[in-house]
Amino acid sequence: MKAIPLILATVVAVNAIPPALFNIRPRIMTQTSFISKITNKVNAVDTCKICVDVSGQIINQVLNIILNVGVIGSCSKLCTMVEQKTGSQIIGVVCDIGCDFLGIDEFVKLIQKADLDPIYYCEIVKMCAVNDHGDAHITKFSITPVSGPQGPRTIDLTYVSKNGTGTGEMVLVIHTVDGIPVETGFLNEPAPAGTYPNVFNLKAQPDPDCDPTQQVCEQWLPGDYTMRIDLCNGECGSKHPHSKLYDTRNITFTITK
């Protein structure tokens, strides 16, 4: 078995880790640049987060290789091709760890499941912890200012867990006046029983980098907006094992002229 922390620590030093993907399911990551999470948690080597961050690319690349080249006979050859196609050593290492753990046949069979999501993948290859007896109850969900012109807003979320939480996801969804979806997901790593405050920043103003010739751009028109938070074990909406909705809440805010 590979010394995972040592290998990943070496690779992280020379590779920038991309933001969380969650891009296997099309509902996630629409107009995500408006919402960011503030966190004080810093782990030098966080194998679960690294796995979730890159597993979407691993899944997509392995599927493309199987489609274009066929099934490769060994983990080393397959993951070397994944590394070469992505240009990322960290992706190659995480691919190799998962493939070696499962064996090439089971690894390919798992990847070929069309509905595979990154959290479930990382749980299967033992890089993310599982807690099927976890819970979380949202005790605070608010936005400041509740009413005002376009501009930055602060979202406060606090939840309480009696039994701890498993590897999961927080999803923020905003129903906008013009119907353009604003939605993003954040990895919520396993935690023991306790109270957990979270703070998010919302840029409730048009993105100057959004090109209307290439995509639909949210304009944050005056009116009432509804925002929902889903707190989940596993990926929100997933039908895989170790997945369920812990709690959900809705709030409204208003953008004035």
Side-chain angles (χ1 to χ4, degrees):
M1 183 66 180
K2 289 179 166 52
I4 296 175
L6 178 60
I7 293 173
L8 293 182
T10 302
V11 176
V12 168
V14 295
N15 287 272
I17 304 300
L21 297 175
F22 293 106
N23 65 348
I24 303 303
R25 296 175 183 272
R27 65 159 186 84
I28 295 292
M29 292 302 166
T30 304
Q31 296 275 320
T32 61
S33 62
F34 295 112
I35 306 172
S36 59
K37 186 173 186 288
I38 300 174
T39 178
N40 294 322
K41 181 178 179 182
V42 178
N43 290 335
V45 180
D46 190 336
T47 55
C48 179
K49 183 179 186 304
I50 291 171
C51 180
V52 172
D53 283 351
V54 305
S55 61
Q57 295 186 57
I58 293 171
I59 294 166
N60 290 334
Q61 289 298 332
V62 171
L63 287 173
N64 287 333
I65 290 170
I66 293 172
L67 179 64
N68 296 315
V69 180
V71 177
I72 307 300
S74 71
C75 290
S76 177
K77 290 181 180 179
L78 177 62
C79 292
T80 296
M81 292 183 68
V82 169
E83 179 177 326
Q84 291 172 345
K85 288 182 176 295
T86 60
S88 171
Q89 187 182 3
I90 183 67
I91 292 177
V93 169
V94 175
C95 172
D96 202 37
I97 292 170
C99 188
D100 283 348
F101 179 83
L102 294 168
I104 184 66
D105 292 337
E106 287 301 314
F107 182 74
V108 170
K109 186 185 299 183
L110 176 68
I111 294 293
Q112 287 177 313
K113 291 184 178 180
D115 65 343
L116 187 64
D117 68 69
I119 292 177
Y120 183 55
Y121 167 85
C122 294
E123 289 173 335
I124 289 174
V125 300
K126 307 300 182 183
M127 293 184 72
C128 287
V130 172
N131 179 2
D132 287 333
H133 305 289
D135 66 282
H137 173 64
I138 298 170
T139 57
K140 179 182 180 182
F141 185 40
S142 63
I143 186 168
T144 307
V146 173
S147 180
Q150 291 180 347
R153 280 164 166 77
T154 301
I155 303 165
D156 289 294
L157 165 72
T158 300
Y159 66 89
V160 176
S161 176
K162 295 181 179 180
N163 300 309
T165 59
T167 305
E169 182 184 21
M170 297 178 186
V171 172
L172 279 165
V173 181
I174 299 176
H175 297 282
T176 61
V177 170
D178 51 14
I180 298 173
V182 174
E183 177 178 356
T184 194
F186 300 92
L187 178 67
N188 199 31
E189 297 183 73
T195 299
Y196 295 92
N198 296 266
V199 179
F200 304 85
N201 285 330
L202 170 65
K203 297 178 182 177
Q205 57 196 52
D207 182 356
D209 297 323
C210 185
D211 184 354
T213 65
Q214 301 295 323
Q215 63 186 111
V216 179
C217 302
E218 170 57 31
Q219 296 301 309
W220 299 101
L221 302 173
D224 295 329
Y225 290 72
T226 300
M227 178 165 54
R228 187 185 82 241
I229 180 76
D230 292 338
L231 187 59
C232 306
N233 188 35
E235 184 178 292
C236 291
S238 174
K239 301 301 182 183
H240 289 123
H242 322 306
S243 302
K244 70 175 182 179
L245 177 66
Y246 284 141
D247 203 359
T248 184
R249 287 288 187 277
N250 289 286
I251 56 175
T252 59
F253 65 96
T254 301
I255 293 180
T256 58
K257 295 183 179 179

